[in-house]
Amino acid sequence: MPVAKPKKRAGIQSVEIGMRVLDTLAGLGGARPLAAIVRGCGLSPSQTHRYLASLSEAGMVLQDQHGNYDLGPAALKLGLSALGRIDVFRIADEKLGAFCQSTGSTVLLAALGPSGPTIVRWHMGRPPIVTSLALGSVLSLVHSATGQIFLAYRPEQETEALVQEELDKTGPVTKASIEMIKAKVRGEGTAHVGGTLIPGLDAKAYPIFDLQGNAVLSATLISLSGRAEQHSSQAARKLRAVCTEISQILGAPIAAE
């Protein structure tokens, strides 16, 4: 017996179309003429103009002196209100927990604290990986994969004092070397450290970006060095996708690949 498809909820079509116009305008990245919005939303010029007029009345759209349209103060207020309700740690925790459950991988989540990159969540995989790291552990900003994410994707004024403090304890590293680390991480979109920080463990970290494009969190895949290499690479690709998804929820500007 064929299974009946669930019926789509009845809605107000004009609201749905209005949201399509707003979504098109948001995707254009700035003030644009009517013709550009028409191309993006697939409506006729007259239809698009009517919706823009109504959205302007509601403060969702503004028209400048050149006749171009952009998002208005009401849209900004709505967006900021939505962002203010986002629980970053809850979202990341749920997404990474589901990832670890489906892949059997071990992942740690870290934030940049006053003492350096600090582990705030730990999702143990199958089989468990035994390590001295735990919740609250502070990692190297320069020598750990987790730390290198913050080194590359946080403003220098937030990291320079931590870098100097670390180098005073561990020995000199040239500024050129640190810039090379940053460039490599930014070029590859990931940081990878194999067995140098903790012997026998391989770490691959990915950034979770906020609205301003800064790494608010770092998610690091931990695996045993030299074991299950194919599984680790597949899990790494999936983790990158999960971090991109979380970043998009947080409103981060994600470049198209």
Side-chain angles (χ1 to χ4, degrees):
M1 183 176 179
V3 179
K5 292 183 178 179
K7 291 184 178 179
K8 184 180 178 182
R9 287 186 177 183
I12 301 173
Q13 189 180 26
S14 60
V15 173
E16 294 175 3
I17 296 173
M19 290 304 299
R20 192 203 310 176
V21 173
L22 280 175
D23 189 55
T24 298
L25 190 53
L28 290 173
R32 292 292 187 272
L34 176 64
I37 302 169
V38 168
R39 287 194 298 270
C41 66
L43 302 174
S44 69
S46 59
Q47 278 183 302
T48 305
H49 184 267
R50 286 199 300 272
Y51 277 99
L52 287 170
S54 295
L55 292 167
S56 296
E57 286 293 324
M60 298 295 287
V61 169
L62 280 179
Q63 189 175 18
D64 64 20
Q65 59 183 349
H66 303 293
N68 295 326
Y69 295 92
D70 203 350
L71 296 177
L76 176 61
K77 181 179 178 181
L78 192 65
L80 291 174
S81 177
L83 284 172
R85 299 181 189 189
I86 291 176
D87 185 337
V88 178
F89 291 103
R90 178 187 61 79
I91 292 169
D93 210 30
E94 289 178 357
K95 297 289 184 184
L96 292 174
F99 163 80
C100 293
Q101 184 66 30
S102 66
T103 64
S105 303
T106 295
V107 172
L108 63 86
L109 184 69
L112 186 61
S115 300
T118 305
I119 299 175
V120 294
R121 296 285 191 276
W122 185 277
H123 292 280
M124 191 62 74
R126 304 182 300 273
I129 293 177
V130 178
T131 172
S132 58
L133 298 177
L135 288 178
S137 293
V138 178
L139 303 172
S140 167
L141 196 61
V142 177
H143 300 293
S144 73
T146 298
Q148 288 177 6
I149 290 295
F150 295 115
L151 190 65
Y153 293 113
R154 289 293 280 265
E156 188 173 346
Q157 61 266 32
E158 293 183 18
T159 60
E160 57 185 350
L162 292 171
V163 169
Q164 189 58 54
E165 184 180 345
E166 182 177 327
L167 297 184
D168 288 342
K169 295 177 182 177
T170 61
V173 173
T174 65
K175 185 174 182 180
S177 297
I178 291 177
E179 291 304 317
M180 285 178 63
I181 292 172
K182 291 181 181 180
K184 186 173 188 294
V185 172
R186 289 167 183 163
E188 298 178 356
T190 182
H192 179 216
V193 172
T196 56
L197 190 65
I198 300 178
L201 290 186
D202 189 273
K204 197 156 194 176
Y206 295 94
I208 294 173
F209 294 111
D210 64 10
L211 180 65
Q212 294 180 292
N214 295 320
V216 64
L217 296 170
S218 174
T220 305
L221 180 68
I222 304 294
S223 57
L224 297 175
S225 298
R227 291 186 61 186
E229 190 64 35
Q230 185 178 2
H231 169 77
S232 295
S233 61
Q234 290 174 347
R237 288 193 296 272
K238 290 179 181 178
L239 180 57
R240 182 194 290 268
V242 171
C243 290
T244 299
E245 181 185 359
I246 298 170
S247 298
Q248 290 174 326
I249 293 172
L250 300 182
I254 304 298
E257 295 184 2

